[in-house]
Amino acid sequence: MNQHIKHIVIVGGGAAGWITAGRIAARHARDSGITVTLVESPTIGPIGVGEGTWPTMRSTLMKMGISETDFMRECEATFKQGAKFARWVDGTADDFYYHPLMLPQGFGQLDLVPYWQSACAGRSFSDTVCLQEQVCEHGLAPKMITTPEYASVANYAYHLDAGKFVGFLTRHCTTKLGVTHIQGDVTAVNSAPNGDIAAIVTAQQGEIAGDLFIDCTGFNSLLLGKHLGVPFVDRGDVLFIDKAIAAQVPYEREDAPIASHTISTGQAAGWIWDIGLVTRRGIGYVYSSRHTSDEQAEAALRAYIRPAGKSVGTRSIPIRSGHRQLFWKNNCVAVGLAAGFLEPLEASALVLVELSADMLAEQLPATRDTMDIVARRFNDTFLYRWDRIIDFLKLHYILSKRTDNAFWTDNRAPETIPDSLKDLMRLWRHRPPGNCDFTSNNEVFPAASYQYVLYGMGFRTDPEFLRPSASEQRAAQEHLAQNSAAARKALKMLPAHRELIAKIHAYGLPAV
């Protein structure tokens, strides 16, 4: 039972499989004796709609030794500086707010919420405390062509072509990191006497043995779910979205502006995502089939993307919100869709893959008898993370004032709101979200993210309890002046988003 962990077998490709393979292989060099094998079905393709990322992706790519220039050129990648939520509050044409990727000015030193509430009426919270809303509204990039790879003027993530990203990662992992790539359809899973997985059997390559198996088989959850019998915890009682219809829409002209943020537009029974890549936009409607029909959903999507909406092809994707009861059992751990899935609001899918791959790479058990310790820690960490992400996604719905469809009113029903989120909302009636509300080092969304959503959607904290002192008011004025100055400077110096992408393709970014 105390054998050393030497052979890691990842079953399934896609972004989950290849990010995990790349992070482990890059962290544990080939001369350590650890081998990484990825077994991928030649007949099952990835879903391929995970086009939004978090700023963590920059660190992930760097740790894998990937050039940002190469990545952007080969994956049709563009910059993402946050999300613009349109028509989520009351559904009117001018209803929008931003969740930028930069912290509010002076965050951690002084909370600007009280001053914004009392002195900045009529100006959005994110625009008051952060320069990024203006940068996005003006269609600008988060950096310049002279800014080195992975460095920034404004914090950023990426939008990317999911299919091209997987191909890029496959080439990098196999040619640069020594990952063995086997194409084979799994026909059986063989167990060891202690219940561990001893080997998988493939139709094309026969038996493949391993010490640690990573399940990246998507919704099938072939190893953790089907073989080891770990049940799925359905969270559809909290998050109602259960379907998506997606399309790829070309720009009307080659030089059309590229949005440097995700646009999420509220609809009758869900919302539409709009992601700008270099040559096309990825657009899709995620919705609740309990609150609208497939035909109505398709009509709404086509109305959004007209005139191209008349001819563009669409595909339907089922969504089952929830996750496995455990993510690591015996010598098998699930990453990506095999672990669970939630609607694509706030791009949580890829960041969960990154966080899983990171923890695996950094805490890879050396022996089988230490594996159970790591597994317990992994399960505790990710059960916490999934719960917090569910809270954060639900927050977007419970503050809406829309009444045009039961989807919105049902989302506000108290019995659909987790108790943990109810408790936070009661606290925030009297003080803004702060780091003291999130004491774990496993947070995905910081307190600042809750502030942007809360106050972007019209929430108000009781001013009687806040009452900033004279010195705090002076400090707040200084921070707000600094933010205004930084915004003016950014608008002068930053290039248009498409202009920078063209320069990166032509010249490349300076190496780190």
Side-chain angles (χ1 to χ4, degrees), residues 126-317:
S126 63
D127 189 37
T128 304
V129 303
C130 175
L131 60 84
Q132 211 149 27
E133 177 173 327
Q134 289 201 43
V135 170
C136 290
E137 284 290 289
H138 284 83
L140 304 181
K143 63 194 294 178
M144 299 168 290
I145 193 61
T146 54
T147 312
E149 289 196 331
Y150 299 116
S152 65
V153 174
N155 194 27
Y156 66 85
Y158 308 101
H159 289 140
L160 51 84
D161 182 300
K164 291 179 179 178
F165 184 47
V166 170
F168 175 76
L169 289 175
T170 303
R171 292 188 295 275
H172 181 80
C173 290
T174 53
T175 61
K176 303 286 180 64
L177 299 176
V179 176
T180 300
H181 184 200
I182 294 176
Q183 292 202 322
D185 290 295
V186 177
T187 57
V189 181
N190 294 340
S191 296
N194 67 344
D196 281 2
I197 295 173
I200 58 168
V201 182
T202 66
Q204 296 89 337
Q205 304 294 332
E207 188 174 271
I208 300 168
D211 301 316
L212 173 65
F213 288 82
I214 302 175
D215 187 347
C216 296
T217 60
F219 291 129
N220 284 330
S221 195
L222 197 61
L223 305 185
L224 190 77
K226 289 187 177 173
H227 177 72
L228 291 174
V230 175
F232 183 85
V233 180
D234 194 307
R235 300 306 301 271
D237 57 330
V238 177
L239 299 173
F240 303 161
I241 298 292
D242 62 357
K243 281 194 173 181
I245 181 170
Q248 296 184 354
V249 183
Y251 289 104
E252 292 180 25
R253 62 179 201 276
E254 282 190 6
D255 62 345
I258 304 172
S260 65
H261 52 280
T262 302
I263 303 167
S264 301
T265 304
Q267 300 294 309
W271 53 277
I272 286 176
W273 80 75
D274 190 337
I275 285 174
L277 302 182
V278 181
T279 62
R280 66 167 177 85
R281 291 151 65 200
I283 302 176
Y285 184 9
V286 289
Y287 60 96
S288 165
S289 63
R290 287 175 284 174
H291 296 90
T292 192
S293 68
D294 295 344
E295 294 74 23
Q296 288 171 318
E298 178 139 359
L301 179 66
R302 293 190 181 280
Y304 179 91
I305 58 179
R306 62 172 180 260
K310 291 180 181 178
S311 58
V312 71
T314 61
R315 61 191 181 111
S316 184
I317 303 159

Side-chain angles (χ1 to χ4, degrees), residues 75-123:
C75 302
E76 203 176 327
T78 56
F79 294 108
K80 171 188 171 182
Q81 298 185 72
K84 180 178 183 177
F85 292 91
R87 303 192 177 195
W88 278 72
V89 180
D90 60 20
T92 57
D94 59 352
D95 162 20
F96 76 88
Y97 73 94
Y98 271 87
H99 175 195
L101 295 183
M102 294 178 70
L103 294 173
Q105 181 75 31
F107 192 78
Q109 304 168 41
L110 180 71
D111 200 321
L112 293 177
V113 170
Y115 189 83
W116 166 73
Q117 283 196 167
S118 63
C120 302
R123 189 177 177 192

Side-chain angles (χ1 to χ4, degrees), residues 259-507:
S260 65
H261 52 280
T262 302
I263 303 167
S264 301
T265 304
Q267 300 294 309
W271 53 277
I272 286 176
W273 80 75
D274 190 337
I275 285 174
L277 302 182
V278 181
T279 62
R280 66 167 177 85
R281 291 151 65 200
I283 302 176
Y285 184 9
V286 289
Y287 60 96
S288 165
S289 63
R290 287 175 284 174
H291 296 90
T292 192
S293 68
D294 295 344
E295 294 74 23
Q296 288 171 318
E298 178 139 359
L301 179 66
R302 293 190 181 280
Y304 179 91
I305 58 179
R306 62 172 180 260
K310 291 180 181 178
S311 58
V312 71
T314 61
R315 61 191 181 111
S316 184
I317 303 159
I319 293 175
R320 190 181 178 199
S321 287
H323 54 79
R324 294 289 154 186
Q325 194 176 72
L326 296 172
F327 309 105
W328 193 325
K329 182 177 180 181
N330 291 35
N331 66 336
C332 175
V333 55
V335 175
L337 300 178
F341 186 67
L342 303 170
E343 63 184 86
L345 187 68
E346 298 283 9
S348 62
L350 273 178
V351 76
L352 279 166
V353 168
E354 291 179 79
L355 293 170
S356 299
D358 188 68
M359 190 166 180
L360 279 166
E362 298 302 325
Q363 300 187 28
L364 191 71
T367 61
R368 179 62 186 87
D369 74 334
T370 60
M371 186 182 290
D372 292 338
I373 301 168
V374 178
R376 282 196 298 272
R377 295 169 66 173
F378 190 95
N379 286 327
D380 289 346
T381 296
F382 281 91
L383 286 169
Y384 178 87
R385 283 175 166 158
W386 280 87
D387 281 345
R388 295 293 75 71
I389 291 171
I390 290 167
D391 280 357
F392 186 63
L393 300 191
K394 185 66 171 182
L395 178 68
H396 295 65
Y397 293 103
I398 66 173
L399 291 168
S400 175
K401 299 177 179 65
R402 289 184 63 152
T403 57
D404 52 304
N405 186 296
F407 171 80
W408 297 97
T409 51
D410 288 350
N411 256 300
R412 297 194 289 269
E415 63 271 18
T416 73
I417 304 172
D419 289 341
S420 50
L421 180 57
K422 288 179 183 175
D423 288 346
L424 289 171
M425 295 299 290
R426 289 167 65 188
L427 291 172
W428 294 337
R429 285 288 171 199
H430 304 285
R431 60 167 177 78
N435 291 332
C436 58
D437 294 313
F438 306 98
T439 54
S440 170
N441 63 352
N442 294 313
E443 300 300 338
V444 178
F445 297 100
S449 292
Y450 286 84
Q451 287 195 359
Y452 284 128
V453 175
L454 276 175
Y455 302 114
M457 296 194 75
F459 185 85
R460 288 294 179 268
T461 298
D462 184 358
E464 288 300 312
F465 192 71
L466 299 177
R467 292 192 180 278
S469 66
S471 63
E472 287 174 334
Q473 287 186 332
R474 287 193 297 271
Q477 288 174 326
E478 290 174 9
H479 281 301
L480 295 179
Q482 289 170 10
N483 183 62
S484 295
R488 288 192 297 271
K489 183 179 179 182
L491 295 185
K492 287 181 181 178
M493 68 188 290
L494 290 173
H497 191 197
R498 183 174 285 282
E499 176 191 338
L500 177 59
I501 297 297
K503 286 183 177 178
I504 291 171
H505 281 243
Y507 312 115

